[in-house]
Amino acid sequence: MKKTLFLTLSLLGCLYTGFSSQAQVFIVDTGSIFNQDSIDTQRIKVQYEMTYLQDTVSENAKPSQETLMLEIGKQYSKCYSYNFYVRDSLLIADAQAGASKETMLQHAAAIGDSRISYQIFKHYPAGKVTTLDRLATTNFLCEEKEEMPEWTVLPDTATILSYSCQKATCRFKGRNYTAWYTMEIPISEGPWKLYGLPGLIIKAEDDKKHYTFSCTGIEQCKTPKPILINLKGREKVSRPNLNKMYERMAKDPMSFIASTAPNVKVSVTDEHGNPMKSFSIPYNPIELSE
């Protein structure tokens, strides 16, 4: 059942977008786009196709897909949605050209919503992982101690994207992963929070195939480009509390928005245009409790 959410905002500097089932609520916060700081310089940019299954109950449920960008610098890395990469680049260009907010909204809507709203900075600050996310109208910052997966390297080999790869397995954040990495790119990095092998992870998936990351492109950055982060105006939250908010949001998005963003009016209708009082979103987080 498709649902549409319209947000009426009294917030300056924000635009609003639509909302569909099996997605989070996204508000285009221009402040977080334009007020970013550089923390490193990109050496390699990697693109992954992420396939994930949110609904593990319905027999006819189909997996969702999202393209991720991994920017790798000398010290830090940043993993986030490609849609955000395209949207932010376009909105910055619009702002520099003096475009109106209406035009910016049209451009953001044309790109479409990203189901993956988080940005993950590995090794930032030193010895930690920083996750930035936005739920309703609040920007969150979650800083955790860095945890490297304990990999078991296996003798199996394969060729993926013309790279010679080797197999490795681990148990990490409640899931069993199989990864293929290449020594031809001797950088200990990978999608999401996966890293720690002696080469770039080209493909990884958990044993239930709920989450799969497949590399679709690798670019050596010849022109210096910054890795950007915006820590301004963010509410610090622990990982357990952030997970609780994700769960609350999935169980009842309307109630969550009403309790965390009282200045936002929510209107939800079904495919026939009938108003809905509540609904839930299938929830199958990538990080599980052991």
Side-chain angles (χ1 to χ4, degrees):
M1 178 184 296
K2 184 177 181 180
K3 313 174 184 74
T4 304
L5 172 66
F6 298 96
L7 304 177
T8 302
L9 302 178
S10 59
L11 300 176
L12 295 177
C14 291
L15 305 174
Y16 59 90
T17 64
F19 173 73
S20 62
S21 63
Q22 298 191 19
Q24 294 183 10
V25 176
F26 300 101
I27 299 170
V28 180
D29 179 6
T30 56
S32 66
I33 296 172
F34 301 128
N35 300 320
Q36 301 189 79
D37 297 315
S38 174
I39 59 172
D40 206 342
T41 300
Q42 298 176 32
R43 298 170 59 195
I44 295 179
K45 186 181 297 180
V46 188
Q47 184 171 300
Y48 293 92
E49 192 67 24
M50 176 182 176
T51 302
Y52 60 102
L53 184 66
Q54 283 187 294
D55 189 346
T56 59
V57 178
S58 301
E59 293 183 358
N60 298 325
K62 295 182 179 180
S64 300
Q65 288 187 318
E66 186 86 10
T67 301
L68 299 181
M69 296 298 296
L70 175 64
E71 298 173 354
I72 304 173
K74 293 182 179 180
Q75 293 179 286
Y76 314 121
S77 70
K78 176 182 180 179
C79 186
Y80 64 115
S81 168
Y82 178 73
N83 269 26
F84 282 176
Y85 169 81
V86 174
R87 185 205 65 188
D88 290 2
S89 300
L90 180 58
L91 292 183
I92 289 173
D94 281 347
Q96 292 173 342
S100 66
K101 287 186 178 180
E102 289 74 17
T103 298
M104 295 171 72
L105 174 58
Q106 291 175 359
H107 288 170
I111 294 171
D113 289 339
S114 170
R115 292 184 173 90
I116 303 301
S117 60
Y118 56 71
Q119 303 172 52
I120 295 176
F121 296 82
K122 291 201 286 291
H123 323 301
Y124 182 87
K128 296 187 177 181
V129 172
T130 295
T131 300
L132 306 184
D133 207 345
R134 183 176 179 87
L135 292 177
T137 60
T138 304
N139 290 318
F140 291 101
L141 183 157
C142 178
E143 192 176 280
E144 310 167 72
K145 182 179 179 180
E146 194 167 53
E147 181 181 351
M148 186 173 71
E150 296 183 4
W151 296 98
T152 298
V153 176
L154 302 174
D156 309 60
T157 60
T159 300
I160 305 175
L161 290 181
S162 75
Y163 291 100
S164 297
C165 298
Q166 191 159 351
K167 186 177 182 180
T169 61
C170 74
R171 182 164 182 81
F172 186 64
K173 304 293 185 181
R175 295 182 183 273
N176 297 314
Y177 285 95
T178 295
W180 295 89
Y181 68 96
T182 179
M183 292 287 290
E184 294 179 34
I185 304 178
I187 296 178
S188 181
E189 265 294 351
W192 181 55
K193 294 181 178 180
L194 299 175
Y195 78 107
L197 288 164
L200 179 69
I201 295 175
I202 301 296
K203 184 176 181 179
E205 65 180 1
D206 71 296
D207 57 356
K208 294 183 179 179
K209 299 188 185 300
H210 287 180
Y211 285 85
T212 299
F213 304 92
S214 300
C215 177
T216 55
I218 301 172
E219 176 187 350
Q220 298 281 346
C221 299
K222 298 180 180 179
T223 303
K225 293 182 180 179
I227 295 179
L228 299 173
I229 191 171
N230 185 344
L231 302 176
K232 303 177 182 69
R234 292 190 178 273
E235 182 178 322
K236 290 187 177 181
V237 62
S238 66
R239 170 54 62 177
N241 286 337
L242 182 58
N243 288 343
K244 289 178 182 178
M245 284 190 284
Y246 287 147
E247 189 172 358
R248 283 178 53 205
M249 180 72 173
K251 285 184 177 179
D252 192 344
M254 294 179 67
S255 176
F256 180 86
I257 295 171
S259 64
T260 59
N263 55 340
V264 174
K265 296 181 180 180
V266 182
S267 175
V268 182
T269 58
D270 60 21
E271 70 271 23
H272 303 295
N274 300 316
M276 299 177 62
K277 294 184 178 180
S278 65
F279 63 94
S280 62
I281 304 171
Y283 187 59
N284 179 30
I286 190 170
E287 296 190 27
L288 300 175
S289 301
E290 292 286 357

